[in-house]
Amino acid sequence: MGHVQRHSHWEIAVKRLEGKVALVTGGTSGIGAGTVERLCAEGARVIFTGSNQAAADAVCAATGALFIRHDVTDVSAWDGLMARILEEYGRLDIAFANAGTENGDGSIESIGIEGWNTIIGVNLTGVMLTVQHAMRAMARNPEGPVGSIIVNSSMNAHRAMGNFVAYSVSKTAVLALVKSSAVHSGNRKYKIRVNAVLPGVVETAMIANLIEKSGDPAATRAAYEGLSPMGRMASVDEVAGLVAWLASDETRFCSGSEFTMDGASTAGMNGV
Amino acid sequence: MIDLGSQRLKGRVALVSGGLRGIGLACVERFLAEGAEVVLTDLEAPDTDHAAATLARLGQAASYVQANVAQEDDWAKVLSAVTERHGKLHILVNNAGIDLTGPVAETSLEGWRRIMSINVDGVFLGVRTFVPLMAASGADFRGGASIVNVSSIMGLVGMSEVSGYNASKGAVRLFTKSIALEFAEKKMPIRANSLHPGFVMTPLLQEGFQRWVDKGVAGKAQDLVDLMSSKTPIGRLADPSELASAVFFLASSDSSYMTGSELVVDGGWTAQ
Ligand SMILES: NC(=O)c1ccc[n+]([C@@H]2O[C@H](COP(=O)([O-])OP(=O)(O)OC[C@H]3O[C@@H](n4cnc5c(N)ncnc54)[C@H](O)[C@@H]3O)[C@@H](O)[C@H]2O)c1
């Protein structure tokens, strides 16, 4: 968990999230773990979910966050998760619907129904359940319905990949989910904001591993880096900084919007 | 309220056009609170009551250059002032702008050219003038130098009888994407993003509403504020400080991987 010790190059002199309670799904690695760390550094009390106990222990040790084993697709376990959060913390201010997978994906010709159902289950239905339960919990906050929900989409929402059909579809679909939820929140006169982040390629342990295991790591790395005109991938903490900003009161007037952080990858849609 | 005493822009130099009121002034105030030194430009002579009082309140870290963004010669004046006083520039906010409303068939070429000269030429001239200095200053901070061009939700979606303003703000959106790609591809340490505010309580908006009232579209300006609020999912108009917090994010190192992006701060207006 090398990325858990990177506080030094963040310029956090102020704890924007003091007093806030946050839920991060899929928080044991990658962008999720980096976000748990950043939200904690800004003063939030963070609960994160996932399944990898060893990785979760490392995140807990580094951040003081609470891990609850939970699968976003486990419909019947959601009520218990939220009940426990509300019981222990009394409120929910921030939810980051981050858990995602590309396991079993393929092209439109090759993908099997199992792979499709898994990816749509986690990346779309799992996100729907996260937003739904977060909004229900936030609607019951002591001072009234207030909070910030952030969904991790991807630049692939606007740049579909031929060999990842389910992933591309799920990341576009959650944008409509975000907008519908934001409009609903407004209709109910809630102060609950719902926004999406659309990162470019982020150099997570998963991507680093993919690069290493590819036949030609140098060429694979160059291909990933070349997706951005900036010539590099994002680091986990860069995305975490965006999520923290959206989680904070700085963005009280932002709702239903897409926040792209991709080193200009989609500014020109230059093709892959 | 947000704690502004965090000094996250210490050591940076910022330039804000149209900085004497509205969104521009809010950006100047936020930058100063974050420890930056700020040069602001606007049309007023520095010794008018309003300008003098504002500049006195802003203090020593702020300085003023009277300049019209539509005038090439005035930008030369701004460049020499910034170069003499600071010798560098890390943040450029091209904010000065005007509005124009009315049926297209009744829009004069003079009025059309005027809005284009301020909202479009003004942004182009600001960028062209400061690219060399920003390229030379960009290595000072993680994420490099940052250009924020103020577009509008009217640069994303159309509105009846707003054709000139729509056209000018749409131009700012794509101009920004092109320069973001250019700087990234040339490995220049400058990021460029566009800001898309929804309806913000500023003198521009209040004067615009008053013009509608004078034309008999509404009984009083407050009726228009109420109407726009009711059409915004968040249920109110924005405060200029809520745009300044987005500009601050784009100016800070937290947005180091963000270039060529659109930051929409519209209370959900374009999500519905
Ligand atoms: N207020 C809104 O609802 C809203 C919404 C979307 C976008 N915007 C944009 O935000 C920017 C700021 O708007 P605001 O609402 O703060 O307006 P404002 O009129 O309150 O402030 C704009 C400032 O720019 C200055 N200015 C105008 N023309 C200039 C010129 N030629 N040279 C130099 N300075 C000039 C004005 O003197 C004024 O101080 C504009 O680009 C506007 O189009 C505003």
Side-chain angles (χ1 to χ4, degrees):
Chain A
M1 311 278 342
H3 59 270
V4 182
Q5 266 110 39
R6 275 214 215 137
H7 283 249
S8 55
H9 59 235
W10 293 341
E11 302 166 29
I12 307 167
V14 63
K15 296 200 165 191
R16 288 181 297 193
L17 306 179
E18 203 107 88
K20 294 191 193 289
V21 175
L23 168 67
V24 176
T25 67
T28 61
S29 67
I31 298 171
T35 301
V36 170
E37 184 193 2
R38 173 74 191 243
L39 298 181
C40 288
E42 294 221 32
R45 288 177 293 164
V46 182
I47 303 98
F48 67 101
T49 66
S51 59
N52 183 337
Q53 187 68 51
D57 289 345
V59 174
C60 292
T63 63
L66 172 75
F67 174 66
I68 301 179
R69 177 186 293 276
H70 175 261
D71 179 333
V72 289
T73 62
D74 188 346
V75 180
S76 61
W78 267 102
D79 284 338
L81 173 70
M82 299 316 289
R84 185 166 163 202
I85 292 171
L86 293 184
E87 197 174 299
E88 287 186 32
Y89 298 87
R91 58 183 301 113
L92 184 69
D93 301 281
I94 300 158
F96 182 35
N98 167 72
T101 183
E102 47 195 62
N103 217 349
D105 213 342
S107 70
I108 184 65
E109 281 198 276
S110 70
I111 190 169
I113 195 67
E114 256 179 48
W116 173 269
N117 285 340
T118 302
I119 294 164
I120 297 299
V122 176
N123 295 10
L124 180 53
T125 309
V127 168
M128 183 279 287
L129 291 167
T130 308
V131 175
Q132 176 175 71
H133 285 88
M135 192 174 290
R136 286 177 182 164
M138 289 171 180
R140 296 204 305 268
N141 274 337
E143 73 277 39
V146 58
S148 176
I149 300 172
I150 302 130
V151 169
N152 201 353
S153 173
S154 161
M155 71 166 174
N156 295 117
H158 294 305
R159 192 189 225 188
M161 295 178 288
N163 51 345
F164 289 92
V165 62
Y167 185 83
S168 302
V169 167
S170 70
K171 292 301 180 181
T172 309
V174 293
L175 298 181
L177 180 90
V178 161
K179 287 169 200 199
S180 173
S181 307
V183 171
H184 165 75
S185 175
N187 289 343
R188 296 297 307 270
K189 309 238 179 296
Y190 292 168
K191 289 179 178 159
I192 299 170
R193 307 177 288 106
V194 192
N195 291 287
V197 294
L198 288 74
V201 185
V202 185
E203 192 164 4
T204 57
M206 190 188 83
I207 295 275
N209 198 30
L210 265 173
I211 291 173
E212 241 161 66
K213 281 204 217 135
S214 72
D216 186 347
T220 310
R221 168 168 289 277
Y224 276 119
E225 289 177 346
L227 285 176
S228 159
M230 266 187 158
R232 67 173 178 92
M233 292 177 257
S235 64
V236 163
D237 61 298
E238 288 177 309
V239 181
L242 173 61
V243 177
W245 176 67
L246 284 168
S248 77
D249 292 345
E250 298 246 40
T251 50
R252 270 172 316 190
F253 203 67
C254 297
S255 195
S257 290
E258 303 174 14
F259 292 86
T260 301
M261 180 180 261
D262 66 358
S265 298
T266 55
M269 297 281 198
N270 290 328
V272 182
Chain B
M1 267 312 287
I2 302 152
D3 179 358
L4 300 181
S6 53
Q7 304 279 301
R8 278 172 290 180
L9 298 179
K10 206 163 185 57
R12 297 188 210 207
V13 179
L15 173 63
V16 180
S17 73
L20 275 182
R21 64 179 209 186
I23 296 168
L25 179 59
C27 292
V28 171
E29 288 170 343
R30 180 69 194 258
F31 289 164
L32 290 170
E34 297 283 355
E37 293 183 279
V38 185
V39 180
L40 55 142
T41 71
D42 211 306
L43 293 174
E44 277 180 59
D47 53 4
T48 61
D49 288 350
H50 169 253
T54 305
L55 296 169
R57 181 171 61 75
L58 293 175
Q60 294 295 313
S63 62
Y64 181 70
V65 185
Q66 182 182 4
N68 182 340
V69 292
Q71 297 294 329
E72 198 172 5
D73 296 348
D74 284 11
W75 278 106
K77 218 170 67 179
V78 180
L79 178 62
S80 52
V82 171
T83 307
E84 266 167 44
R85 189 174 161 102
H86 302 289
K88 50 195 171 185
L89 188 71
H90 304 106
I91 302 158
L92 170 63
V93 185
N94 286 304
N95 161 76
I98 59 165
D99 72 352
L100 175 69
T101 52
V104 67
E106 290 164 26
T107 299
S108 70
L109 182 57
E110 193 195 359
W112 174 271
R113 285 193 172 141
R114 177 156 185 270
I115 193 168
M116 292 302 160
S117 76
I118 295 170
N119 292 10
V120 185
D121 300 2
V123 173
F124 156 66
L125 290 172
V127 169
R128 193 187 69 177
T129 304
F130 280 99
V131 161
L133 187 58
M134 295 186 86
S137 313
D140 293 352
F141 295 97
R142 183 188 188 210
S146 176
I147 295 173
V148 182
N149 292 331
V150 182
S151 174
S152 166
I153 52 170
M154 296 303 150
L156 301 171
V157 294
M159 193 172 201
S160 170
E161 296 199 13
V162 182
S163 55
Y165 188 75
N166 271 148
S168 73
K169 292 301 184 179
V172 171
R173 171 179 174 269
L174 276 183
F175 172 73
T176 307
K177 287 194 196 298
S178 176
I179 60 171
L181 288 165
E182 181 183 333
F183 301 152
E185 283 166 10
K186 292 180 183 163
K187 302 287 171 278
M188 292 162 72
I190 308 175
R191 298 180 292 110
N193 296 284
S194 52
L195 180 76
H196 301 266
F199 295 92
V200 191
M201 274 305 245
T202 65
L204 177 86
L205 189 82
Q206 283 155 321
E207 289 164 10
F209 281 172
Q210 191 53 48
R211 277 195 292 275
W212 288 105
V213 171
D214 297 343
K215 282 189 202 163
V217 176
K220 54 184 191 305
Q222 187 58 43
D223 295 347
L224 289 167
V225 171
D226 294 343
L227 177 70
M228 291 311 179
S229 299
S230 73
K231 286 187 166 185
T232 305
I234 280 187
R236 62 179 174 87
L237 306 189
D239 183 80
S241 67
E242 294 174 313
L243 281 303
S245 60
V247 175
F248 162 69
F249 174 71
L250 287 172
S252 76
S253 294
D254 266 347
S255 59
S256 50
Y257 198 64
M258 193 177 260
T259 190
S261 288
E262 300 159 14
L263 254 77
V264 179
V265 182
D266 69 351
W269 184 279
T270 55
Q272 46 191 353

